[in-house]
Amino acid sequence: SQQGEEDPQALSIQEGENATMNCSYKTSINNLQWYRQNSGRGLVHLILIRSNEREKHSGRLRVTLDTSKKSSSLLITASRAADTASYFCATVHNSGYSTLTFGKGTMLLVSP
Amino acid sequence: DAGVIQSPRHEVTEMGQEVTLRCKPISGHDYLFWYRQTMMRGLELLIYFNNNVPIDDSGMPEDRFSAKMPNASFSTLKIQPSEPRDSAVYFCASSPPRSSYEQYFGPGTRLTVT
């Protein structure tokens, strides 16, 4: 079953603006990951945040994790048209299995 | 590094035909995953292997689906017989050992069953 749920389902912004996407999950996790999928392509790993971390940065990406609320956010600063893609959060359970549980994604459109 | 390789990239077949999708994981990765992606159901894990051994196939929708991994560099997903509702994009992904379960995805195979 899908554990991660992204919000919003779709987001449309102008180049230069910031984009924020949220993810909620249901059970305890080992880590949470964000992936990007360009149209017609496979998913690409962006960033991973562990359950004992609260915030992580990678370039223009900032991820936060609130385990008490079972939620995460992905912030893309100074967006570019090339950031247009679908963004998925994926959780790794504490069960010991090595599988990811993906949400249905947020479609981000960045207009020039 | 070539990344995960999948073939074919597109497959169009008629209902009832056998379909075989192929995947070559990244060298050195010991986990291999097969996913199916549709608009309605999103990304679903079908089956995954560790060191060529199937670990969990609970996501395989029915007996018409089967997957094999005869060696560390090759895996197949077979659908026999295919049905229109099998139309989807099928992804293969691999993951390195002792990782935090980051996965590296192939470009996918877009399957259309008419």
Side-chain angles (χ1 to χ4, degrees), chain B residues 41-73:
Chain B
R41 300 174 67 88
L43 198 64
E44 302 173 279
L45 176 64
L46 301 177
I47 184 172
Y48 79 97
F49 296 82
N50 179 222
N51 291 321
N52 313 338
V53 176
I55 302 300
D56 184 353
D57 65 354
S58 60
M60 297 285 260
E62 350 181 339
D63 292 344
R64 298 184 296 105
F65 286 69
S66 62
K68 294 182 179 179
M69 191 165 186
N71 58 61
S73 59

Side-chain angles (χ1 to χ4, degrees), chain A residues 2 33 35 37 50 98 104, chain B residues 31 37 40 43 100 103:
Chain A
Q2 302 277 357
Q33 304 175 28
Y35 288 76
Q37 183 179 31
R50 301 184 191 282
S98 56
K104 290 196 174 180
Chain B
Y31 282 93
Q37 186 178 40
M40 289 297 295
L43 198 64
S100 296
Q103 295 184 13

Side-chain angles (χ1 to χ4, degrees), chain A residues 61-72:
Chain A
L61 304 180
R62 173 178 168 250
V63 171
T64 62
L65 178 65
D66 187 334
T67 54
S68 67
K69 296 181 179 178
K70 292 187 169 57
S71 68
S72 173

